[in-house]
Amino acid sequence: QTKQQQQQQQQQEKRGPSEEDIRARFIVRECGLTPQNLPQLVENNPSVAIECLLRILTPLPEAVGGSSGGQSGDVETKEYLSALVGMDMSLHSMEVVNRLAMCRISEGDKKTGGTKPLVHPEFVHRFVSNCLSSCENIQDRNAQNRLVRLVCVFLQSLIRNEIVNVQDLYVEVQAFCITFSRIREAAALFKLLKSMQG
């Protein structure tokens, strides 16, 4: 975030949710988006899916500190994230998860100005594990090679941007890289893992 965006966010937190935030959330809820039809939206229009998910997953400013977040919001958030993890792996699903994983929100402590990830790292790890196993289960070799390349680039992005802790996924990703070592991107990912070890 730029300094100007951070200042705008801090001013917004002091005022509470804007009319625009409330209206956007209402529109997302009223358009019929559910966890069940989220995979269709992700595949057909990932940009809209990202914007909708950002509205759904981002707590309203007064809810960030935990005062009015409510239990139902947590359940709803988990349902949408579970739908995303459970869907078939594709370029679009990785694009949506990558964008969500990059987003950070205020921790609610206005004095320190700290932030935390919009989505919990455990969700990202579950999605990565799903991607790795999806690649191994594809029978068509050309499709498999293409998806392995995409997953490797996706993982490199997550690792370089410090979205995932390499240690948490090391064994699983290392085995994946060895299995697909014939693919240049898997070899590059393996080198990246090794360089972070030493």
Side-chain angles (χ1 to χ4, degrees), residues 110-180:
K110 292 181 176 86
K111 291 177 185 163
T112 63
T115 61
K116 66 180 182 180
L118 175 63
V119 293
H120 194 278
E122 179 59 32
F123 157 73
V124 179
H125 291 181
R126 283 179 42 216
F127 184 79
V128 167
S129 293
N130 184 37
C131 288
L132 299 179
S133 64
S134 293
C135 285
E136 292 168 359
N137 295 329
I138 294 174
Q139 299 303 313
D140 178 359
R141 185 138 170 152
N142 289 329
Q144 184 184 56
N145 290 347
R146 189 178 76 247
L147 286 174
V148 167
R149 285 186 182 98
L150 287 172
V151 169
C152 289
V153 171
F154 172 64
L155 281 169
Q156 287 176 355
S157 171
L158 293 176
I159 291 167
R160 287 195 175 111
N161 289 301
E162 299 177 358
I163 302 298
V164 295
N165 181 348
V166 177
Q167 301 309 317
D168 294 344
L169 293 167
Y170 186 80
V171 172
E172 196 174 1
V173 174
Q174 182 182 27
F176 175 82
C177 290
I178 291 169
T179 300
F180 296 106

Side-chain angles (χ1 to χ4, degrees), residues 32-53:
L33 181 62
T34 65
Q36 293 74 28
N37 60 25
L38 176 64
Q40 276 184 300
L41 181 59
V42 168
E43 286 309 313
N44 293 311
N45 199 332
S47 298
V48 171
I50 290 166
E51 291 304 318
C52 289
L53 285 167

Side-chain angles (χ1 to χ4, degrees), residues 8 10 15 30 62 70 92 98 105 110 180 184:
Q8 287 173 342
Q10 288 170 350
R15 288 192 309 258
E30 293 301 309
E62 71 258 14
H92 289 160
N98 190 46
I105 58 172
K110 292 181 176 86
F180 296 106
R184 185 177 354 112

